[in-house]
């Protein structure tokens, strides 16, 4: 996960920068070290595959 300027994150798929309020965190259930930040558009394209969890509120990761 790439946090930018303390309150923004880079989408792992499209590489655009978004505020933390506008992204979600996709985590693998069996490997908590695997996490990908996705914007809404990329999340709609990818969805949440079986074996993954989605955290919509990651604002606590900011400054």
């Amino acid at each position: 996960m790439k946090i930018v300027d303390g309150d923004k994150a880079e989408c792992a798929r499209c590489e655009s920068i978004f505020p933390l309020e506008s992204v979600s965190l996709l985590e693998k259930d069996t490997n908590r070290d695997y996490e990908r930040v996705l914007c809404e558009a990329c999340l709609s394209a990818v969805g949440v595959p079986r074996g993954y969890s989605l955290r919509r509120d990651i604002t606590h990761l900011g400054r």
Side-chain angles (χ1 to χ4, degrees), residues 8-59:
K8 297 177 184 151
E10 181 179 336
C11 176
R13 188 165 187 256
C14 69
E15 299 180 349
S16 297
I17 306 294
F18 295 93
L20 287 177
E21 302 86 33
S22 301
V23 295
S24 299
L25 187 66
L26 188 64
E27 297 175 313
K28 194 169 192 175
D29 292 339
T30 58
N31 182 359
R32 287 293 178 185
D33 291 330
Y34 181 91
E35 51 188 25
R36 298 291 182 259
V37 173
L38 295 173
C39 66
E40 289 298 318
C42 290
L43 179 60
S44 295
V46 172
V48 181
R50 183 179 299 160
Y52 289 79
S53 300
L54 185 68
R55 290 193 336 186
R56 293 205 178 262
D57 182 14
I58 62 170
T59 55

